[in-house]
Structures are given as C-alpha cells and as structure tokens.
Amino acid sequence: MSVATNPTVASALVGADDPVRRGWLTGKVSDAAGKPVEGVTVALKGTSFGTSTTADGSFRLSAQAGAYQLVVSSIGYITQEVPVAVTGGESTPVPAFTLAVSNQNLSEVTVTGAKSLNQRAVTVGKLPVATLDLPQSAVTVEREVLEQQQVLRLSDALVNVSGLYVTSTTGGTQEELGSRGFAYGSNNTFKNGVRFNNGVMPEASSLERMEVLKGSAAILYGNVAAGGVLNLVTKKPQFEKGGSVGLRVGSFGLWKPIFDVYGGVGKSEKVAFRLNGTYENANSFRDQVESNRVYVNPSVLFELTPKTTLILEGDYLRDNRTPDFGVGAIDYNVLESRTRFLNVPGAKNATTQTSSTATLTSRLNDKWQIRAVGGFQRYDNEQRTGNRPSTIRNGVIPGSPATATRPAIPERYKESLYGNWARTLSRTETSENYYLAQLDLTGKVRTGFLEHTVLVGADADQYNTQALTFTAQPYDSINVFDRSRVLAQPTNSVSSFDALYRNTRTFTNTRRAGFYVQDLMSISEKVKLLAGVRWSYQETPSDVYTYAAPTAADQSLKVTQQNRRFDNAFSPRLGLVYQPIKTTSLFASYANSFQPNTGQDVTGVALPPSTFDQYEVGIKNDLFHGLLSANVTAYQIVNSNLAQTYLGPITDANGKTTDNLNTNIKELAGEVTSKGVEVDVQSKPMMGWTFITGYSYNHTAYTKSNIYENNSRLRYNPAHTANFSLYYNFGSSFGDNSFLRGLTAGVTSYYVGDKLAGRNTRLYDPATGKPFVDASKNPSGDAFRLISIPDYVLFDASLGYTYDRFSVRVKLANILDELSYNMHDDNSVNPIAPRNFSATASYRF
C-alpha cells in the first residue's frame, strides 16, 4: 500500500534540496521484544526527506527547519505517524518507536512524498517559486525516473519532456539538442546553474534531476538561444551515511561499473560529502567505432552557521571515442546502412573536461536570502579525423554516356566512379578556460496590498579559448561500397596525422556581464504579475595567427586577422498568472532575447544583435489532489531582424557600383518564425502506477528571406514529437511473502516526426550574384536540396527486481528495430541504434 501524503507543507523560500537552516532528527526503532529493526523507512510526510534505520535500529534524518509529520513504516508492521519539529543547526531527539506487527498480509510500504511537477521549484529559474506560479513552461525529471529508465545518455531522458529533441550527433562525439526550433549550444546547457561545454556527452549517472526551462531565459542568463535552457543537477552530499555500487552491461560490449558513497565526515554534523563515479567501455553497432570514459564527481557540504552553507562541487571527465560521421550521402541521397564506417584508420576524438563550483548560500532572515556562485571549467579536445563524407562521386568514367543523378547503386558500379571518394586527414586541438561569478538576492516584501517575490542579481563570465588547426592533406581514395577496390592514390598524400603541419592558431577572449531584476507581484490570491528586465554586455575579441608553410623562407607566426566586437542589449520580461483555484493557473507572457551577429552592414558598421520576441500562453493543472499534473502551452517566437546577406548594390573605393558578392556584408531584414503547442503530463505513484506522457507540435520557418523560399522549414526540427512512459510497482498489490513484491515493470515509447537535413533550397546565390531559377540546375552547378529524415517510433520495455539491498534492472530498447538518422547537412548521417539490451545490478549499503 502507499502512505498517503499531504502536498501542502509549510512553504519555504528555497527548494527542498537547499541545505540552508537544516537540522536533524535522531531516534531509534525496535520491535515488541525490544530488538532493533533495520531498514525501517523514516520520512517526513509531504516532502522528499527520508532515510532508513541502521543495523542497531537508529536513524538520523536531515531536513530544513519547520514543523512536519514523521512517518515510520516497514513491511509487516503498523505504520506510525507523529508530529515533529526540526530546528535549524540542531539535532533533535524523538521518542523511541516500538513497532507493532500487523495482522494483515501487508505489501511493501512506500512513502511517496515527492512534489508534483507544478509544485517543484526549478533552480535554473533562480526565482524561488513553484512552477505553478511562473508564466512559463518548465519540466523536471527526477532521479527515480532516470534510474527506472536506465538512462545512459541525455538523449535517453528526452522521452520525459515534450518538444525536446536531438538535432544532430555530429561526428558521433556529442548530442546536440534543441527545442522550439532552436539549438541548445553551450550557452543554453548548464550544470548546477553554471554553463558547461556540451562538446562532450555529459555523464548521466551522476544526475539527481534534469530541469528544462522552455522559452526565453535571456533575462536570467543573457545570450541564450530562444528555445529554452537545460540544467543538469548532480547528486548532493548527505549527512546520512550510505551509498551503492553497481555494474551495467549491454549490447555492443558495454561495460560500466558505477559507485556512489555519501555521509557525514566522521561524526561531524557540520560537514558532509558525496563521491560518485564510473568507468565505461564499449564498442558500437557501427563498424570500427569504440569508446571509453572515466568520470568522478566529488562534492562537500559545509554548514558554516545555522543560516549559511557552502557547497563545493567538482567533476572530472575523460572521454575518448572514435569520430564517426556516419554512412554518407551521394547528391543528397542517403546511402542506407547501419554499420558502414567511412572514417580513416587511427581517427580519434579525445576530450578532457574538469569543472569546479562553489555555492555559498546565506539566509539573512526569514524572508531574504543571498546566494553567490563561483565556477571554473577547463575543456581540452584533440580530434584526428578524415573528412566528412559529403563529396562522394556520383558520375561515371570519362567517355561513358552522360547520366543524371543516381539515387541507387548501378549494377556495374565497379566500372564507374560511383561511390569513389578521396579522403583527407585533418587535425584540431582546442582548449578552453571558463570562469563565472554570480550573485543573487531573493526575498519577499509587501508594499500596500502587493506581496513581492523579488530577484536582484548580477553575473559575469569569461571564455578564454585557443584553437589550433592543421592543414588538411590528401590521404587515400576508396569506393564506399567496395573497400577492397584499389584506386589511384591522390598526389601529395600523407600517411599519418603526424605528417600534418600547423595552419592557424585562434585566440578568443569572450567577456560578458549582466544585471537583472525580477518581481513576482501577488495582486491577489488569484492574480500574479511577473515583470523584469536584464541588461547584458558582451565583448568578443579574437586574433587569428597563421603559420608559414614548411617550405616558406619566413617561418614566423603572423597575425592575419583581428576582430573586436562590443554588444549590449536589454531583455525585458512580462507575464500574468491567473489562478481560479489553487491547483490551476492560466498564464500569458512576453519575453525578449538577443543573439549577437557577425559581419557588417553595407556602410561597414558592425551588425547589432538580432532580437527575438516570444509570446506564450498556457494552462497548468494539478489534478486529483496533486497526483496528476497536466500542462498545455502554446507559443510563438519571431526573429524579425534576422541577419541575411545583403544583395543590393555596393560602391567600391573608385565609385564603381556592382552587385554585392561579399557574404560578410549583411542586413537585418530577414525573419524566422517558430510556433507550436506542447503538452506535458506527469503523475505521482497511484496504486503502484506512474506515468509520463507528452506531445509537441512545432513549425519553424523562414517567413521573410531574400535567399530562401518563404515558409520553408528550418532544418533539424521535427514537426511532431510524442512520448509515453508507464511503470508499475507490483509491491502495491502483493503481500509480503509474494515473490512479486519487489518486481517493477515498464514500457516507454518516443515518437519523432519527420524533419529535414541537407541544405535549404536557395532562390538566389550570393556567391555568384545570380538567381536560382531551378535549384537542381543552378549556375554554379552546386545544387541545394533538403533531405527528408523519416519519422520513427522507439519502443522500450524494462523489468526490475529488488530484494533487500540488491536490485537488478533489465531493459530492451528499440524493440521494433526502427531505422532513422540524425543528420547535420548531408555530411554527418548517423543512424540511430538498432534493437539492444542492457542490464544493471546494484547493491545499496
């Protein structure tokens, strides 16, 4: 059975995981004979605070200061409930519990004190209010869901959030995400509220939860894309001692041991730690592709005073894998295959990422809190790879009859050039230091009849990046369909990456700063108004140094290009929330964001940033006493001053007027519009059942352009996505002695609608100054065409079994063995994984 919980607990200014004003409850549990009982669940009703008794029957539970109901429950015993009070900075003993045996054949008792989707505060939103009060769509995915679904990569977790999808997996070394028609770059991806470089796949085993704040977040973070932001929250220190060890194995040689340990330092009630990590080694369903990684995530919590805490967090990731640009395409026709590998021998992508974060939180009084964050990240990457397979031949040998484009392989391709491809070697080395400082003041104040929840903050960050490129050189020639064929080798070919010589070294030093203020005004119990604005400043200087060729007489390194950009912008936000009842809110909002541009206008002046106007309306519901949350959002995002190539006349220094052929000369005259609908539904456990479902529709298109067709869709964005996950815990229906008591089962499905890759059809070619009458017969002979990526449905099933401290989970993924692709242009055509399995065994201590 489930212990019912009351979701209404005394409200706190900060989220449940915030250690400010934390105290402890201590006690002991024994049976009727006076013997200690181990493994008894001790939890605070209506919260996520809970623990279990140790071998001597004792427990120590950490929670925020406040009044609660303490629930003590265990299989085969009558559940007990008593009122308790937690005092900040102190340990409070509670009377000893004596468990009475139940006469009923009880199933496992589970305390479900988790908050609903709309009751949780999203830390990436900075303002300490429940999402029900925010005029913006937000979704969180908790650790329990991630573990149930055996999430290995972030792409596995997308099945829980409507409208969040993979845009591409360029080179197979990263997963590029997007929503609402816009890509999430490193500017939109955060870990514990600090930006991190998403050029490497983050480690999912360390996550406590995943937060998605949809739509504009420019007022909080400045230069972020319009679609939303993603925040990965890692596991935090705990004073209760415990941990787990596990091993995950799976298809394609996956082998992944995992550990997690936490507790107080010694007998201290002021210092706690956590350390988790993993090693991973795997092959792939792709020929010759392999990977290995090491990850460690330490953190320490200091209770400096009853009102002040300091959390130090760090992580280290070393990720080595084979760069893989997919199966290739000929003239925008995908060469269907799941296993064809086209990269050169010895290709590798090696990344090391180290980060550290210090978060100091102090409660000034019962209504005001200050939070300071300092962060540092080091990112190093070396890639040695062949060229992307986008220039594979589709013609025939000289003297053969002329042929049109061939979407299929000719029967006698061995006598033709069809499928021949000249490969080159290339090499890059990138290093980046990132620094962040952030200060936020939040609190509540009343002016007359208005109650204000206020956020005032400032931040500054800096990227120091150094990128070294080597001159690409010819390597060999192959036929992609028959690798045994011997083809004439290119002239001046090299035999190894070490033979490449340095070409350019680019230094960039991006500096940003921002000041922001937000106020959520409660006009009445039913009406709330959110208003705020941010001012952002950004400098983007860069210097490009070019190395002399090895044969040059002058071997000095010279500056060949210097760029200096200075941008600033205001980002306002306005939203209205109406709550006809406490569990339902209707909202409407407007927000503005910006995106810096490169290039200059026709007068030679640097282009100002483009701006995005975002409109959003929606309804949020907590139904059936908070057991079910159902939210619907509609939005429109318009970039009405999109930077596009200037096609008008220009006058040179001699007064001669010609058509512009310089693509660096632009005008802010284009327009892109994104509009859509999103539905998110999540449940709490109900009689053993839990489910998550959602749907999204998006149409992102050029609505004004001098190069592309109006209303032509932007690439990489699926028109529709849908998700559904259903899990059942057999422990809610079967007795204590039943074998099925520890069994769970679930299914997950994820639909990705059709999307486009390739290159948008052009009406005008700025490189030639001539219109494209027919995109397939343009003057330059270089057609621009789109590739339609087929829709697909992923269907997964899983089983889990827990006995005492041991648990086993088994998952079968892509049961239908669907085939589709993630693409970038036409040169990184990466198939999705076929049917595969994984199994995880773990022991909790």
Side-chain angles (χ1 to χ4, degrees), residues 58-208:
S58 64
F59 65 86
R60 184 174 182 275
L61 190 155
S62 173
Q64 285 179 284
Y68 302 92
Q69 290 292 112
L70 183 68
V71 179
V72 177
S73 58
S74 186
I75 300 168
Y77 295 97
I78 297 174
T79 298
Q80 300 183 38
E81 185 174 323
V82 297
V84 294
V86 178
T87 304
E90 298 181 9
S91 289
T92 303
V94 298
F97 288 90
T98 301
L99 296 181
V101 176
S102 172
N103 294 325
Q104 300 178 1
N105 190 21
L106 291 177
S107 60
E108 181 175 1
V109 177
T110 303
V111 177
T112 55
K115 294 182 179 180
S116 74
L117 172 64
N118 292 324
Q119 293 167 345
R120 304 168 197 153
V122 183
T123 58
V124 72
K126 294 186 180 180
L127 203 62
V129 297
T131 59
L132 197 67
D133 293 334
L134 278 180
Q136 188 171 9
S137 178
V139 177
T140 58
V141 183
E142 300 295 327
R143 173 176 53 84
E144 292 79 7
V145 174
L146 300 176
E147 290 181 350
Q148 267 186 337
Q149 297 174 350
Q150 294 193 74
V151 167
L152 182 66
R153 299 284 178 260
L154 280 187
S155 56
D156 299 329
L158 303 188
V159 300
N160 304 297
V161 184
S162 70
L164 185 62
Y165 47 83
V166 175
T167 60
S168 63
T169 54
T170 309
T173 59
Q174 64 181 125
E175 293 179 327
E176 296 152 312
L177 308 181
S179 71
R180 298 189 175 184
F182 300 91
Y184 285 18
S186 294
N187 279 336
N188 289 60
T189 312
F190 297 79
K191 181 179 288 185
N192 298 319
V194 178
R195 283 184 172 95
F196 83 99
N197 192 314
N198 70 340
V200 62
M201 297 180 188
E203 179 55 46
S205 65
S206 67
L207 297 185
E208 184 64 31

Side-chain angles (χ1 to χ4, degrees), residues 113-319:
K115 294 182 179 180
S116 74
L117 172 64
N118 292 324
Q119 293 167 345
R120 304 168 197 153
V122 183
T123 58
V124 72
K126 294 186 180 180
L127 203 62
V129 297
T131 59
L132 197 67
D133 293 334
L134 278 180
Q136 188 171 9
S137 178
V139 177
T140 58
V141 183
E142 300 295 327
R143 173 176 53 84
E144 292 79 7
V145 174
L146 300 176
E147 290 181 350
Q148 267 186 337
Q149 297 174 350
Q150 294 193 74
V151 167
L152 182 66
R153 299 284 178 260
L154 280 187
S155 56
D156 299 329
L158 303 188
V159 300
N160 304 297
V161 184
S162 70
L164 185 62
Y165 47 83
V166 175
T167 60
S168 63
T169 54
T170 309
T173 59
Q174 64 181 125
E175 293 179 327
E176 296 152 312
L177 308 181
S179 71
R180 298 189 175 184
F182 300 91
Y184 285 18
S186 294
N187 279 336
N188 289 60
T189 312
F190 297 79
K191 181 179 288 185
N192 298 319
V194 178
R195 283 184 172 95
F196 83 99
N197 192 314
N198 70 340
V200 62
M201 297 180 188
E203 179 55 46
S205 65
S206 67
L207 297 185
E208 184 64 31
R209 67 181 179 273
M210 183 177 80
E211 302 176 339
V212 180
L213 188 63
K214 300 182 182 181
S216 175
I219 190 172
L220 302 174
Y221 298 102
N223 178 23
V224 291
V229 294
L230 169 69
N231 184 40
L232 306 177
V233 181
T234 58
K235 297 174 181 177
K236 305 302 180 187
Q238 295 185 21
F239 285 93
E240 298 78 24
K241 292 187 181 296
S244 63
V245 291
L247 175 65
R248 179 170 182 166
V249 296
S251 300
F252 323 121
L254 173 65
W255 188 75
K256 186 181 179 76
I258 306 169
F259 72 91
D260 181 20
V261 60
Y262 50 84
V265 176
K267 296 183 178 180
S268 171
E269 296 184 350
K270 302 295 184 182
V271 184
F273 77 97
R274 190 157 197 161
L275 178 65
N276 62 82
T278 182
Y279 169 79
E280 180 183 318
N281 190 78
N283 297 315
S284 171
F285 65 95
R286 304 275 300 136
D287 294 340
Q288 303 178 51
V289 174
E290 58 185 25
S291 63
N292 67 79
R293 58 166 41 196
V294 174
Y295 177 80
V296 181
N297 174 213
S299 56
V300 182
L301 165 66
F302 298 91
E303 298 272 7
L304 302 180
T305 72
K307 294 185 177 182
T308 305
T309 64
L310 173 65
I311 298 181
L312 303 180
E313 299 172 278
D315 60 4
Y316 168 83
L317 173 64
R318 189 203 69 205
D319 184 279

Side-chain angles (χ1 to χ4, degrees), residues 465-534:
T465 307
Q466 183 179 157
L468 174 64
T469 65
F470 292 73
T471 300
Q473 294 290 320
Y475 176 65
D476 67 359
S477 291
I478 64 170
N479 185 278
V480 298
F481 303 110
D482 186 357
R483 302 288 289 275
S484 66
R485 289 185 61 188
V486 178
L487 304 178
Q489 298 304 298
T491 57
N492 302 320
S493 61
V494 296
S495 59
S496 70
F497 291 99
D498 293 329
L500 303 180
Y501 56 87
R502 292 174 294 183
N503 182 22
T504 63
R505 188 182 294 271
T506 302
F507 297 89
T508 59
N509 185 14
T510 301
R511 296 183 289 270
R512 297 182 292 208
F515 301 91
Y516 46 93
V517 58
Q518 279 194 123
D519 184 6
L520 180 65
M521 293 171 279
S522 296
I523 300 173
S524 68
E525 281 191 17
K526 297 184 177 182
V527 180
K528 296 179 174 67
L529 179 67
L530 177 65
V533 66
R534 176 191 177 98

Side-chain angles (χ1 to χ4, degrees), residues 13-14 18 20 307-309 359-365 367-373 438-443 456-457:
L13 186 63
V14 292
D18 195 311
V20 173
K307 294 185 177 182
T308 305
T309 64
T359 304
L360 181 69
T361 307
S362 181
R363 184 177 293 276
L364 305 178
N365 53 45
K367 294 184 177 180
W368 288 92
Q369 172 184 291
I370 192 167
R371 182 172 179 264
V373 179
Q438 176 181 299
L439 185 66
D440 291 324
L441 175 68
T442 56
V456 180

Side-chain angles (χ1 to χ4, degrees), residues 5 40 96 145 162 173 257 290 347 386 409 494 504 532 548-549 590 627 634 712 721 733 779 785:
T5 59
V40 175
V145 174
S162 70
T173 59
E290 58 185 25
I409 304 172
V494 296
T504 63
Y590 164 79
L627 291 176
S712 59
T721 69
S733 303
R785 287 201 291 276

